[in-house]
Amino acid sequence: METIGTIKRGTGAFWRAGGAVFAGSFITFANLYCTQPLLPVFSHQFHVTPTVSSLTLSVSSAVLAVCMLLAAALSERLGRRRIMILSVFVSSLVVILTAFSPNFTTLIILRLAEGVVLAGLPSLAMAYVSEEFDPGSLGVAMGLYVSGTTVGGMFGRIAAGMLTDIFSWRYALAVIGIVSLLCSVYFWLALPASTHFHGHSFSLKETIRSFGHHLKSPVLFSVFGIGFLLMGSFVSLYNYIGYLLTGAPYRLSQTAFGWIFTVYIMGTISSVWMGKLADRFGRTKVLGIGMIIMLTGGLLTLAPSLVVIVIGAAVFTFGFFGSHSVASSLVGRLAKSDRAQASSLYLLFYYAGSSLVGSINGVSWSLYRWHGVILMIGSAILLSMLLELLIIRFMKGHVD
């Protein structure tokens, strides 16, 4: 039987561990998404279409999704902490190398490598939180992890936009990599050792059995599907809103467009707040509310007013990060064993959605512009709501 975490909210140990988890997710998402506001720049400089330019993000997400499965398996032998520390340090160095890409092909190869090394943190951090934190504090702890992703993603995108306008995209990526490297030192020093982790030797057969067990669970598979659809929707919105706002009639500069990512602050607020609500009122109820908020925000971006578009993006972001925070904690609660594998499967679907849906929507943009993108996003959210109804049905009679 797995032991229950003892790090409780309100203690010094909670804020130390929570701060380290926040820093780790900050590094991961700053490094992963720093190229997103640069997609129009890459299209112009390397003479590629929006769909091809989006590969700078999609290849990282795709390989990250696959490699997380290996990272989760290796962590059972090598430990969570060691792999997470290696991940944040090496990924920061790769971002710095990316700044020196001589052509688009090299850029794609380095972004692929970025996905490989980043894989060592996300699924393991979720497993670490599930193992080390008290169940009554799990929602807030996962909220801290998700809020780190919002702040990191916001920093990477805003810094990339501003520094590209002032200097160049190469300078921007180099600075982001250096900041991430400094944060990696803090992560290494602050992250407590695992005290409730009990590893075992790596077995491919046992790993496949564990993955198969989780995939056969209707309720877990539905949560995985929600992660796929919601993340795909979120990345799609921010992949192509840059083309909308830097083109006619808005014609925002890279700096002005970069500041739109300040709406990620809404995600920081919602991930912690909705995590608390989930601990109090139940995860499935709060998850449904989050998806309704997402859909409302997406529809608002169809307005011709720049102010309303930004408000819509903020509402959409609030709903997404709140939903992701709740879904993440739901995985940790539902998986009674092999939590690292369950978390990595959730994130496999999550980042697969980022890669596949994010790129496919490039076709929607090319054919029908912004209305086509929002149509695809709205359809994905509605399908997620259907999966949530299945979760409620499967969990009837159980505490969520």
Side-chain angles (χ1 to χ4, degrees):
M1 180 180 295
E2 296 191 8
T3 55
I4 298 176
T6 56
I7 300 178
K8 295 184 178 181
R9 182 172 44 177
T11 64
F14 177 89
W15 293 114
R16 180 187 174 194
V21 168
F22 178 96
S25 60
F26 172 93
I27 296 164
T28 300
F29 279 73
N31 292 345
L32 181 61
Y33 290 108
C34 59
T35 63
Q36 192 172 41
L38 304 180
L39 300 188
V41 176
F42 295 149
S43 288
H44 176 74
Q45 179 164 345
F46 296 112
H47 308 290
V48 296
T49 66
T51 301
V52 174
S53 183
S54 72
L55 292 177
T56 59
L57 181 59
S58 295
V59 296
S60 299
S61 300
V63 75
L64 170 66
V66 175
C67 289
M68 281 192 302
L69 301 181
L70 178 60
L74 289 176
S75 74
E76 297 294 345
R77 182 179 182 87
L78 301 178
R80 317 277 196 232
R81 188 175 184 273
R82 183 182 302 175
I83 294 179
M84 287 193 291
I85 291 172
L86 184 64
S87 174
V88 295
F89 272 102
V90 178
S91 67
S92 301
L93 293 174
V94 173
V95 172
I96 296 173
L97 288 176
T98 304
F100 299 95
S101 302
N103 50 55
F104 191 74
T105 300
T106 303
L107 177 63
I108 290 295
I109 291 173
L110 286 171
R111 291 296 295 171
L112 186 149
E114 184 70 36
V116 173
V117 294
L118 279 175
L121 187 126
S123 63
L124 304 190
M126 290 176 65
Y128 179 94
V129 168
S130 296
E131 292 164 351
E132 303 301 325
F133 287 82
D134 177 77
S137 304
L138 184 60
V140 177
M142 196 62 74
L144 285 171
Y145 169 79
V146 175
S147 65
T149 71
T150 67
V151 175
M154 181 173 65
F155 166 76
R157 291 167 168 104
I158 293 176
M162 290 185 64
L163 293 174
T164 295
D165 245 2
I166 299 172
F167 301 102
S168 70
W169 66 267
R170 299 180 186 277
Y171 185 92
L173 294 184
V175 169
I176 291 169
I178 292 170
V179 171
S180 295
L181 198 59
L182 294 175
C183 291
S184 297
V185 175
Y186 170 78
F187 179 78
W188 170 46
L189 296 175
L191 187 69
S194 298
T195 57
H196 294 85
F197 165 69
H198 302 287
H200 50 74
S201 60
F202 175 75
S203 168
L204 180 60
K205 182 179 180 180
E206 184 63 23
T207 299
I208 293 175
R209 183 208 62 79
S210 175
F211 288 145
H213 172 73
H214 292 314
L215 289 172
K216 289 177 182 178
S217 166
V219 65
L220 275 175
F221 190 82
S222 295
V223 177
F224 299 157
I226 288 174
F228 176 91
L229 293 166
L230 295 189
M231 183 56 169
S233 299
F234 179 72
V235 169
S236 292
L237 186 136
Y238 283 103
N239 270 2
Y240 304 106
I241 200 171
Y243 291 94
L244 173 70
L245 297 182
T246 58
Y250 309 106
R251 299 194 183 283
L252 299 184
S253 66
Q254 280 296 315
T255 296
F257 169 61
W259 279 103
I260 196 176
F261 294 106
T262 56
V263 301
Y264 271 46
I265 293 172
M266 301 300 293
T268 304
I269 296 170
S270 70
S271 58
V272 177
W273 181 65
M274 291 181 72
K276 290 181 179 179
L277 290 181
D279 286 338
R280 183 176 179 183
F281 298 109
R283 287 162 174 76
T284 54
K285 294 178 183 177
V286 178
L287 178 59
I289 293 172
M291 290 189 286
I292 292 172
I293 293 172
M294 279 186 72
L295 183 59
T296 302
L299 293 175
L300 284 174
T301 66
L302 292 173
S305 166
L306 178 61
V307 173
V308 178
I309 291 173
V310 173
I311 292 173
V315 172
F316 184 89
T317 302
F318 184 94
F320 168 74
F321 280 104
S323 298
H324 172 45
S325 174
V326 175
S328 300
S329 62
L330 195 57
V331 172
R333 192 72 174 267
L334 292 171
K336 304 303 181 182
S337 63
D338 297 322
R339 284 175 175 154
Q341 281 77 11
S343 296
S344 64
L345 278 173
Y346 172 79
L347 292 174
L348 168 65
F349 280 79
Y350 181 80
Y351 289 111
S354 169
S355 178
L356 296 176
V357 181
S359 289
I360 290 171
N361 258 320
V363 178
S364 298
W365 167 263
S366 297
L367 293 176
Y368 305 109
R369 299 302 179 188
W370 191 242
H371 283 77
V373 174
I374 294 301
L375 176 62
M376 291 291 289
I377 287 174
S379 299
I381 295 173
L382 290 174
L383 184 54
S384 297
M385 291 179 177
L386 291 177
L387 290 176
E388 191 229 354
L389 292 177
L390 289 175
I391 292 173
I392 293 173
R393 179 181 176 185
F394 290 135
M395 294 182 65
K396 188 172 295 184
H398 297 81
V399 177
D400 69 343

